[in-house]
Amino acid sequence: MIDPQPDFQPRPGYAEPLGPGLRRILAPNPSPMTYRGTNTYLLGTRALAVIDPGPADEVHLQAILAALAPDQRISHILVTHAHLDHSPLARPLAEATGAPVLAFGDATAGRSPEMQVLAETGLAGGGEGVDAGFAPDARLADGARIAGDGWQIEALHTPGHFGNHLSFAWGDILFSGDLVMGWASSLVSPPDGDLGDFMRSLEKLRARDWRCFHPGHGAPVEAPAERLDALYAHRRAREAAILEALARGPADAAQLARLIYHDTDPALLPAATRNVLAHLVDLTQRKAVIPQGKLSKSSSFSVI
């Protein structure tokens, strides 16, 4: 598989300066889904905000604490969403520092009524990699502002990859979590992911001018508008490919994924299948396709 960002080679555990008042620490959890690992961000100069503390890893916890100078402390812990590579270290970090954990809500917060119905019927088994026990100390609504020592963050509810997903705006810089990354497109896996929400979140971000995105994985996105446009076009192209394939006959998500993602690393094919399922659920809701029988992850679909 071709490395999408070969020049992005941060050292795990090292607090790398990204600009005045901003550092990044890479967690030691590389995988086909996390790329080099989870990016944890430290914002501020004295009282710091930690954005996405990362997975339950004692080595990473100690790396975050070791990055603090004698005159520094952690005052806020911000979590973009409740996936196992982003949120589990929040509670141990809070216990070590006394800082509150702030997020949109628990692992089911922000889920649309349609996705809740699908979750109750067992669609996709409730989602893979979910931090089901995650619970913040305080909830951040869309547009909430958090002021710290020399910094201010605006929380933006950007569901799609996950229902409780927040992005954090720091002026014209955005911490985009897993909604927008440069090395890959985001996984959207129902019922925790919702493709309709994902597209609306892209449109929401596109309505503002940004200088840079710092994502949950991979290198900074230096041309945010172009990346948002590319992700939107990519999803519309996938939708068109699915409809074209279904015009030739009924198929399920796995069959469509093998057909459409023919050049994908086999290790990523299960994720590709879930992305196709997200499109099929969205197309079902829009009455463009219909499942044969009860909607499920193994349903066969036809165009209407």
Side-chain angles (χ1 to χ4, degrees):
M1 181 179 178
I2 298 174
D3 189 338
Q5 294 180 337
D7 294 333
F8 181 68
Q9 300 284 349
R11 188 170 82 238
Y14 170 67
E16 180 178 355
L18 299 177
L22 179 62
R23 292 177 288 167
R24 177 187 62 220
I25 304 177
L26 181 71
N29 63 327
S31 77
M33 296 303 298
T34 61
Y35 196 40
R36 308 287 189 229
T38 301
N39 293 328
T40 295
Y41 297 99
L42 278 62
L43 175 64
T45 55
R46 289 182 299 175
L48 311 181
V50 172
I51 300 172
D52 276 350
D57 185 289
E58 180 65 22
V59 171
H60 191 52
L61 173 62
Q62 294 306 317
I64 295 172
L65 296 175
L68 302 178
D71 63 342
Q72 291 181 329
R73 65 183 178 88
I74 294 172
S75 61
H76 299 75
I77 300 169
L78 308 179
V79 175
T80 60
H81 64 292
H83 267 151
L84 290 174
D85 54 329
H86 289 261
S87 58
L89 202 61
R91 188 53 55 199
L93 185 60
E95 292 171 354
T97 63
V101 178
L102 309 178
F104 186 77
D106 64 19
T108 63
R111 180 181 281 172
S112 69
E114 295 83 3
M115 290 298 146
Q116 183 58 38
V117 169
L118 294 178
E120 291 168 357
T121 63
L123 180 71
E128 189 173 351
V130 174
D131 184 4
F134 175 72
D137 297 311
R139 298 189 173 198
L140 298 174
D142 181 48
R145 295 182 182 273
I146 312 102
D149 183 13
W151 54 264
Q152 181 172 277
I153 286 282
E154 180 187 2
L156 301 175
H157 186 215
T158 49
H161 171 71
F162 203 93
N164 75 348
H165 194 286
L166 289 174
S167 299
F168 296 109
W170 178 40
D172 59 0
I173 292 173
L174 186 76
F175 299 93
S176 57
D178 281 4
L179 184 81
V180 180
M181 301 177 288
W183 74 279
S185 58
S186 297
L187 171 67
V188 180
S189 178
D192 303 300
D194 184 320
L195 189 66
D197 280 349
F198 181 81
M199 300 299 274
R200 286 185 287 273
S201 290
L202 294 182
E203 292 171 347
K204 178 178 183 174
L205 295 182
R206 190 64 177 86
R208 292 171 61 161
D209 291 327
W210 304 101
R211 177 159 54 95
C212 178
F213 286 175
H214 288 296
H217 309 277
V221 177
E222 303 290 357
E226 289 85 347
R227 184 58 178 160
L228 289 167
D229 289 346
L231 288 173
Y232 195 92
H234 170 75
R235 289 292 177 176
R236 289 303 181 215
R238 288 297 188 208
E239 176 183 295
I242 289 169
L243 290 173
E244 180 181 354
L246 289 179
R248 298 194 291 268
D252 62 25
Q255 292 168 327
L256 290 166
R258 288 192 296 270
L259 177 66
I260 295 169
Y261 290 81
H262 54 83
D263 57 350
T264 296
D265 184 335
L268 295 176
L269 197 56
T273 299
R274 294 197 296 274
N275 271 324
V276 170
L277 179 62
H279 277 283
L280 291 168
V281 171
D282 181 58
L283 289 166
T284 298
Q285 292 173 338
R286 291 158 51 197
K287 302 189 185 307
V289 305
I290 186 170
Q292 296 178 351
K294 181 180 177 181
L295 179 61
S296 72
K297 61 184 178 181
S298 58
S299 293
S300 188
F301 292 79
S302 303
V303 292
I304 297 178

